């Protein structure tokens, strides 16, 4: 997700949710969320909760399918179908 502050600066949010029980597993908020930080955050969640059976990625509210995100590929997690 992304939004803008009153002074015009943009900020981004990374929300990681468990779709089954609707639990929030992690939220990161910053003015910039580079890929390395996203992967590091996902790896921390995987260490805490274990590897998911499948992943789903939404960018700007639109679900993407057909290709695995880099962290899913490197951990042998199937892409959504």
């Amino acid at each position: 997700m992304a939004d803008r502050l009153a002074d015009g600066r943009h900020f981004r949010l990374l929300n990681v949710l468990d779709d089954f029980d609707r639990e929030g597993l992690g939220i990161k908020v910053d003015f910039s969320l580079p890929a390395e930080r996203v992967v590091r955050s996902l790896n921390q969640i995987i260490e805490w909760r274990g590897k998911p059976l499948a992943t789903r990625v939404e960018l700007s509210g639109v679900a993407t399918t057909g290709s695995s995100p880099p962290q899913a590929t490197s951990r042998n997690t199937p892409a959504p179908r």
Side-chain angles (χ1 to χ4, degrees):
M1 294 175 58
D3 206 346
R4 185 182 306 190
L5 298 172
D7 64 7
R9 293 182 296 166
H10 292 271
F11 65 95
R12 296 182 178 270
L13 295 95
L14 170 66
N15 299 301
V16 180
L17 304 173
D18 183 333
D19 274 344
F20 180 74
D21 61 10
R22 307 303 290 167
E23 179 182 2
L25 303 178
I27 299 174
K28 300 291 181 191
V29 180
D30 207 335
F31 293 107
S32 173
L33 287 172
E36 290 175 356
R37 184 164 177 209
V38 171
V39 170
R40 184 172 56 238
S41 297
L42 294 174
N43 284 335
Q44 287 174 346
I45 293 169
I46 289 171
E47 287 176 16
W48 175 49
R49 297 285 299 233
K51 183 175 67 171
L53 297 177
T55 59
R56 181 171 59 107
V57 178
E58 290 189 19
L59 303 172
S60 300
V62 178
T64 60
T65 59
S67 63
S68 296
Q71 73 281 2
T73 304
S74 67
R75 292 193 171 265
N76 298 319
T77 304
R81 298 193 195 263

